[in-house]
Structures are given as structure tokens and as C-alpha cells.
Amino acid sequence: LLAPEEVVTDVGRLIVRGVFKTTKTDAICGGEVTKGKLVIPAFANVFRGDEQLASGLPVVNLKHGPTDTKEVLEGEMCGMSLATTSRVDLQEGDRIEVYTREIRERTL
């Protein structure tokens, strides 16, 4: 009868080095992984300085060079595609923090 528990785990951070496309439904950017690793499926929060621009954006795709990949390690450059519900104005220097969400059954 207990409600399931949502567990959020921070997995990585990307600094935006270039913005390729921003529309109402998606944002595509490239950058450098500065902490941890990026994985999909995951979600992202976008920050500019201390201000949070967007939260809970699904990470749709990761590219390492011309190939699609499931994970990018710290210190590497990659491309990232985010699904958005409203236009997100990404700029160089923005910070994208990536996390995963897991639903766990609770027990007594």
C-alpha cells in the first residue's frame, strides 16, 4: 500500500560550447562533459550562472562525433539533443546537469 519512491541520481554535467538548433520542441547543442558521464535515457536541468532556465527536459540523443552513442565520459566532447515543451534559449557557457530517475517499490 506504500506509494513508490522516486530516486534521483546525478550522473553528469555538460558545458555548452556551441548551439546548433533551438525550436519549440527541441534544442540541439554541443559541449564538453566536465563531471561524471552523460547517459541516455536521462533528464536535464539547464542553468545560466545560478539561474535555472529549464528543468526535467528529456535527453533524446547523444552523439560522439558523427555516431549516436548511449554514454559519453568525462573530458570528451559530444552533441546532445533535448526535447522541450517551450523554447529554451541556450547560449555558450550554459551548464546542463544530467540526472536519472528511478521508481522503486517501498517495503516495510
Side-chain angles (χ1 to χ4, degrees), residues 3 10 16 20 23-24 32 41-42 58 62-63 68 75 78 86 105 107:
D10 292 331
V16 176
F20 303 114
T23 64
K24 187 176 181 179
E32 180 181 359
L62 287 176
K63 285 195 176 281
D68 290 345
C78 70
S86 63
E105 294 293 327
T107 59

Side-chain angles (χ1 to χ4, degrees), residues 52-69:
Q52 185 169 1
L53 301 178
S55 65
L57 303 176
V59 178
V60 178
N61 194 6
L62 287 176
K63 285 195 176 281
H64 187 258
T67 60
D68 290 345
T69 184

Side-chain angles (χ1 to χ4, degrees), residues 16-70:
V16 176
R17 300 290 184 215
V19 178
F20 303 114
K21 177 179 164 185
T22 57
T23 64
K24 187 176 181 179
T25 58
D26 64 350
I28 301 173
C29 64
E32 180 181 359
V33 181
T34 58
K35 180 180 177 186
K37 64 180 178 179
L38 304 185
V39 296
I40 53 175
F43 297 91
N45 295 328
V46 181
F47 294 91
R48 182 171 299 139
D50 291 332
E51 178 186 357
Q52 185 169 1
L53 301 178
S55 65
L57 303 176
V59 178
V60 178
N61 194 6
L62 287 176
K63 285 195 176 281
H64 187 258
T67 60
D68 290 345
T69 184
K70 295 282 184 193

Side-chain angles (χ1 to χ4, degrees), residues 3-19:
E5 172 184 25
E6 181 180 43
V7 179
V8 175
T9 307
D10 292 331
V11 290
R13 183 180 303 151
L14 175 116
I15 300 295
V16 176
R17 300 290 184 215
V19 178

Side-chain angles (χ1 to χ4, degrees), residues 91-104:
Q91 294 179 358
E92 287 186 32
D94 287 352
R95 184 176 80 244
I96 300 176
E97 295 184 358
V98 178
Y99 62 93
T100 59
R101 282 191 266 192
E102 183 181 347
I103 304 296
R104 289 190 186 153

